[in-house]
Amino acid sequence: MVTQRELPVGRYGSREKRRGPRWVYWALLAAFVVAGLVVAYVAYVNLGDGPITTEPARYKIVDDKTVEFSFTVTRDDPGKDADCIVRTKSSDGDEAGVREVYVPAGGDQRTVDTVVHTSKQAVSVEVYGCSYQVPAYLRSS
């Protein structure tokens, strides 16, 4: 017959499983849920639609060094000026030209026309991005 040997309780403690207070479990669970919500909110703010969105309207390649481009700007705050960066690409994928475009305040949706001068013939044009942080040199022009 096999018997289980008892260890000295004073030396090794009892064999009963010790669990912490139940509130610690719930507090940790709540902390993880709050942390998850914070991460989701930050991702939504940084990866969601920005305050300024653009949509290309039309473009025309005038010659090997010039492109006319029109695009529509939609803002969440029509009372603020905006700065949009327009860039063109050549057939080999290189950036052929870049232009900053000043969009004055007024109207939540506005069509903007611009001319981009390029270093080589462009095959495409796009709005790289827009911001409410308009540099002083752009406002004065």
Side-chain angles (χ1 to χ4, degrees):
M1 176 182 302
V2 177
T3 61
Q4 187 171 1
R5 210 164 99 174
E6 293 292 322
L7 298 174
V9 177
R11 185 171 185 182
Y12 299 106
S14 68
R15 285 191 170 233
E16 296 176 12
K17 290 188 177 186
R18 293 185 184 167
R19 290 180 64 173
R22 200 118 174 102
W23 66 269
V24 172
Y25 168 78
W26 291 108
L28 287 173
L29 180 64
F32 282 121
V33 168
V34 168
L37 290 173
V38 167
V39 168
Y41 175 75
V42 169
Y44 172 75
V45 167
N46 290 326
L47 301 176
D49 282 343
I52 305 172
T53 57
T54 61
E55 188 172 319
R58 63 179 171 78
Y59 76 97
K60 177 182 175 187
I61 299 173
V62 178
D63 57 35
D64 287 350
K65 303 284 185 181
T66 311
V67 177
E68 293 177 352
F69 181 55
S70 296
F71 59 99
T72 304
V73 178
T74 306
R75 300 179 268 204
D76 65 349
D77 187 353
K80 291 183 179 179
D81 298 334
D83 172 27
C84 294
I85 297 173
V86 175
R87 69 178 182 176
T88 63
K89 288 190 174 185
S90 63
S91 60
D92 59 5
D94 287 345
E95 187 174 83
V98 176
R99 170 134 195 208
E100 279 188 281
V101 179
Y102 175 69
V103 183
D108 30 325
Q109 195 170 47
R110 161 176 268 164
T111 300
V112 180
D113 300 317
T114 189
V115 175
V116 182
H117 298 285
T118 63
S119 59
K120 49 186 165 181
Q121 185 173 14
V123 294
S124 69
V125 61
E126 67 180 353
V127 178
Y128 183 72
C130 293
S131 171
Y132 286 127
Q133 297 172 352
V134 180
Y137 65 84
L138 203 56
R139 289 180 195 263
S140 61
S141 60

